[in-house]
Amino acid sequence: MSEQKPIQIFSNLNKNAGVNVVKSPVKLTILEMLRDTEMEFDEIVSNTGKSKSTVSVHLKSLRESGIISYRLHPVDNRKKIFFINSKYLGSVNISEPKQIEETQSDYLIKNLVDNDEEFSTLLFHTLKSMLIQEGVNIDPILQSTGNSIGKSIFEKLYDDDLDIFMENIANFWQRKGLGRLTFKIGQTIKVTTYDCFECKFLPKTGKPACFLDTGIFEGLFTEFFNLPVSVIETQCYTMGDEKCVFEIEPKQVKSY
């Protein structure tokens, strides 16, 4: 049996409206495109390869669910620019729970019992692994949580000198037991973390795992630059590396 594409879950910004579960492949394609940028109707049609009528029906349904919204083009009011108007919570594969190699949860539980000093970190990893094994992907929630944490601690770490700001972050990281952090400033800010609390006990999966850290850096540097930033983890302990590396740079703002 072939593995089904996971359904995706979005939280409506109107808290009384609850959550929306999206299963339609066309809708998922549209939302994937809108996750990083806003798009005009014709761009969506072109990128999905579907007819205008099909795309229009799906956009209408997504609007009525409160998942997306639109604004009029500032130059041509006949055109609409669509954007996501809700929070992505994650995906769930309800048909085939994901099996973790070397039973990752067993590996973590063993260390949880044996390692008193790292109990809270292993507890976090074990909970995350159990959810993954049940087919629940909480990475988007971790990144969103990290984003909020980054913004909340920004004022305590802020300095208008970027080098000093980075040193404040590094000191905070070490003081709180999050790992040892170094940085290199250029057109792209490169942050390297050793002994990363978020992933150092996880088995090798070949994929980056530090979504909470990614979110924290996203929140901190969004506040510093007063612009949305892109944070990409290019190296990770779970990818077989001896460190975690994050590349940070302000996003290109689309102009009309």
Side-chain angles (χ1 to χ4, degrees):
M1 181 183 295
S2 61
E3 186 176 353
Q4 296 183 9
K5 191 172 183 178
I7 61 175
Q8 295 188 9
I9 305 172
F10 291 81
S11 172
N12 199 296
L13 294 182
N14 178 355
K15 294 184 178 180
N16 295 324
V19 299
N20 293 289
V21 176
V22 180
K23 301 178 182 179
S24 161
V26 178
K27 288 180 182 176
L28 290 174
T29 299
I30 292 171
L31 292 171
E32 190 67 32
M33 292 188 299
L34 293 178
R35 190 171 301 169
D36 294 323
T37 186
E38 54 190 25
M39 298 181 75
E40 296 177 29
F41 176 77
D42 288 341
E43 289 180 285
I44 297 173
V45 171
S46 175
N47 287 322
T48 58
K50 302 295 182 181
S51 67
K52 289 186 176 184
S53 59
T54 297
V55 171
S56 181
V57 168
H58 286 296
L59 288 174
K60 182 174 185 293
S61 175
L62 290 169
R63 291 201 317 272
E64 290 175 347
S65 299
I67 299 176
I68 69 171
S69 187
Y70 71 87
R71 59 184 176 82
L72 296 180
H73 195 289
V75 176
D76 187 346
N77 287 340
R78 295 171 299 176
K79 296 180 179 180
K80 295 176 181 177
I81 300 170
F82 294 89
F83 56 90
I84 290 182
N85 193 41
S86 56
K87 181 183 292 185
Y88 175 56
L89 296 182
S91 60
V92 181
N93 189 333
I94 58 176
S95 60
E96 298 181 14
K98 186 174 181 180
Q99 296 302 314
I100 301 176
E101 54 192 56
E102 210 251 336
T103 53
Q104 180 174 318
S105 55
D106 292 342
Y107 168 86
L108 287 167
I109 289 172
K110 180 180 182 302
N111 281 278
L112 185 65
V113 174
D114 295 341
N115 193 330
D116 292 334
E117 292 182 3
E118 303 287 353
F119 183 85
S120 59
T121 300
L122 285 163
L123 189 64
F124 164 75
H125 290 155
T126 303
L127 175 60
K128 179 179 178 181
S129 298
M130 287 295 193
L131 288 169
I132 292 173
Q133 197 160 335
E134 292 302 319
V136 180
N137 173 22
I138 64 167
D139 293 339
I141 299 175
L142 290 175
Q143 186 163 340
S144 176
T145 301
N147 192 301
S148 298
I149 292 170
K151 290 179 178 178
S152 69
I153 64 176
F154 171 74
E155 290 296 336
K156 293 182 179 179
L157 305 179
Y158 174 70
D159 192 281
D160 57 7
D161 185 308
L162 180 55
D163 285 283
I164 296 176
F165 178 56
M166 292 296 307
E167 288 173 4
N168 292 343
I169 295 173
N171 291 334
F172 176 86
W173 232 249
Q174 190 151 12
R175 200 166 62 247
K176 298 298 182 181
L178 303 179
R180 181 169 60 86
L181 186 152
T182 64
F183 58 90
K184 182 178 180 180
I185 298 175
Q187 186 171 356
T188 297
I189 298 171
K190 184 175 288 187
V191 176
T192 301
T193 303
Y194 300 90
D195 296 323
C196 176
F197 88 100
E198 190 171 358
C199 70
K200 66 179 178 179
F201 290 117
L202 297 179
K204 306 296 184 287
T205 63
K207 298 179 180 179
C210 303
F211 291 91
L212 188 64
D213 279 354
T214 296
I216 294 174
F217 291 135
E218 191 176 67
L220 283 169
F221 287 96
T222 292
E223 292 296 302
F224 183 86
F225 292 113
N226 198 25
L227 285 171
V229 297
S230 167
V231 182
I232 300 174
E233 187 177 11
T234 58
Q235 296 183 55
C236 186
Y237 283 95
T238 57
M239 297 168 69
D241 302 305
E242 295 301 318
K243 56 190 175 184
C244 296
V245 177
F246 303 84
E247 295 187 357
I248 305 164
E249 58 183 15
K251 288 183 179 180
Q252 295 295 323
V253 179
K254 199 170 183 178
S255 59
Y256 295 93

